[in-house]
Structure formats: structure tokens, C-alpha cells
């Protein structure tokens, strides 16, 4: 039995948790690229690092492997006939690596609190996306049908109905 009481989060940690909720609340709005979530995650990453987020040593193998992907992607891009497309791919991969390291570090620092905030934000984003989809499906607002439907299928605040459906699985569970 654990006799230690759970310590309250410090102010920096609380700010990061609120920011994490806000970032994941934006994850349901993917109608433009980069999505608001992408920009917010980069900002959260820099914000977290400035306010003392430590990257745990146990993440070193993962970071090493991810950096190999980026480095070899850069080498491959040099030999590509479409340098612009390759560059966009490498920048996207770099963003995904950065986001992965930040989220893994946040989860490692406080697993229960971090995952709880991620899921709360994810659920809030799903509710917003579903409500927009319903507004579009029922055409409750003039023009909403064209905005939130594609080929008669709900897409909510996504570009594609094929992304909207899978996005809702985790919040429904």
C-alpha cells in the first residue's frame, strides 16, 4: 500500500497540463494544413522545454532511431528528382519526431495526469467535431451541408470523412 499522498502539481506543471488539454482540444480541427493542432503542439513543445521539461534518458533509443530516419531521409532527399516534395516530407517527419519526443517526455514525467489531460482534450475535440457534423448533416445553418459533408458523408471539421470516423474511435471507447 502506498502511504505517500499524491503531491499537488507545481504551477509550471499545471500550466503545461492546461496547455496540453488546449492542444488536444484542437486536434479535431483538421481542415487546413498545417492544422491548428500542429502549430499548437510545436508551441507547447518549446513552452515545455523553456519551463523545465526534461527529456528522460530512457527515451534515448527511441530518439536515436527517429533521428536516423530524419538523417537518412535528408540523404535520400538529395537524390530525389522532386526536391521540393522531399523537403516537405522531411520537415513533416521532423515535426512528427519533435512532437513524439515532447509527448513521450510529458507522459514520462507524469503518466496519469498527462494521459488524463490528453484524453479530456481529445474527447472535447471529438464532441466539437461531431456537433459540427450534425449541424452539417441536418443543414441547421445555411451552407453547413457543403462545409461539413463530403459526398453525403460526415466529415465534421476534417477534410476527409475517412479521417473523421477513425478519429472518433478512442473518444467513444
Amino acid at each position: 500500500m502506498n502511504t505517500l499522498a499524491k503531491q499537488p502539481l507545481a504551477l509550471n506543471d499545471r500550466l503545461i497540463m492546461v496547455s496540453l488539454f488546449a492542444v488536444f482540444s484542437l486536434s479535431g480541427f483538421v481542415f487546413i494544413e498545417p492544422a491548428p493542432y500542429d502549430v499548437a503542439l510545436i508551441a507547447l513543445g518549446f513552452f515545455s522545454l523553456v519551463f523545465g521539461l526534461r527529456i528522460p534518458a530512457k527515451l534515448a533509443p527511441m530518439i536515436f532511431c527517429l533521428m536516423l530516419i530524419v538523417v537518412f531521409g535528408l540523404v535520400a532527399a538529395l537524390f530525389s528528382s522532386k526536391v521540393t516534395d522531399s523537403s516537405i516530407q522531411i520537415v513533416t517527419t521532423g515535426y512528427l519526431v519533435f512532437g513524439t519526443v515532447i509527448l513521450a517526455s510529458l507522459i514520462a514525467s507524469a503518466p496519469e495526469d498527462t494521459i488524463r489531460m490528453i484524453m479530456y482534450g481529445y474527447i472535447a475535440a471529438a464532441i466539437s467535431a461531431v456537433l459540427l457534423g450534425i449541424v452539417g448533416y441536418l443543414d441547421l445553418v445555411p451552407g453547413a451541408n457543403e462545409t461539413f459533408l463530403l459526398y453525403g458523408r460526415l466529415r465534421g471539421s476534417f477534410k476527409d470523412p475517412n479521417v473523421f470516423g477513425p478519429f472518433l474511435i478512442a473518444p467513444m471507447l
Side-chain angles (χ1 to χ4, degrees), residues 73-94:
L74 284 169
V75 171
L78 294 174
F79 298 100
S80 174
S81 61
K82 297 182 179 180
V83 177
T84 304
D85 292 343
S86 300
S87 300
I88 291 171
Q89 182 68 31
I90 294 301
V91 168
T92 303
T93 303

Side-chain angles (χ1 to χ4, degrees), residues 73-153:
L74 284 169
V75 171
L78 294 174
F79 298 100
S80 174
S81 61
K82 297 182 179 180
V83 177
T84 304
D85 292 343
S86 300
S87 300
I88 291 171
Q89 182 68 31
I90 294 301
V91 168
T92 303
T93 303
Y95 153 73
L96 292 171
V97 166
F98 179 75
T100 299
V101 171
I102 292 300
L103 289 175
S105 299
L106 286 169
I107 291 170
S109 68
E112 290 179 19
D113 293 330
T114 305
I115 291 173
R116 184 178 307 112
M117 291 317 274
I118 287 172
M119 287 311 298
Y120 286 162
Y122 194 178
I123 290 168
I127 290 170
S128 300
V130 166
L131 289 175
L132 290 173
I134 291 170
V135 166
Y137 188 75
L138 298 176
D139 205 18
L140 297 175
V141 176
N145 196 304
E146 294 102 27
T147 305
F148 302 119
L149 294 180
L150 184 64
Y151 309 120
R153 295 174 58 207

Side-chain angles (χ1 to χ4, degrees), residues 46-62:
F46 287 119
F47 173 74
S48 299
L49 290 171
V50 166
F51 283 98
L53 176 67
R54 295 180 184 265
I55 299 173
K58 61 186 170 186
L59 296 181
M62 177 191 74

Side-chain angles (χ1 to χ4, degrees), residues 24-29 119-133 156-158 164 167-172:
F24 274 85
S25 294
L26 293 173
S27 65
F29 297 94
M119 287 311 298
Y120 286 162
Y122 194 178
I123 290 168
I127 290 170
S128 300
V130 166
L131 289 175
L132 290 173
S157 52
F158 288 82
F164 177 65
F167 175 79
L168 298 177
I169 292 172
M172 285 190 314

Side-chain angles (χ1 to χ4, degrees), residues 15-50:
L15 287 173
I16 288 173
M17 290 299 158
V18 169
S19 300
L20 191 63
F21 172 81
V23 166
F24 274 85
S25 294
L26 293 173
S27 65
F29 297 94
V30 191
F31 48 88
I32 59 170
E33 289 182 12
Y37 165 82
D38 299 331
V39 175
L41 183 60
I42 291 171
L44 174 67
F46 287 119
F47 173 74
S48 299
L49 290 171
V50 166

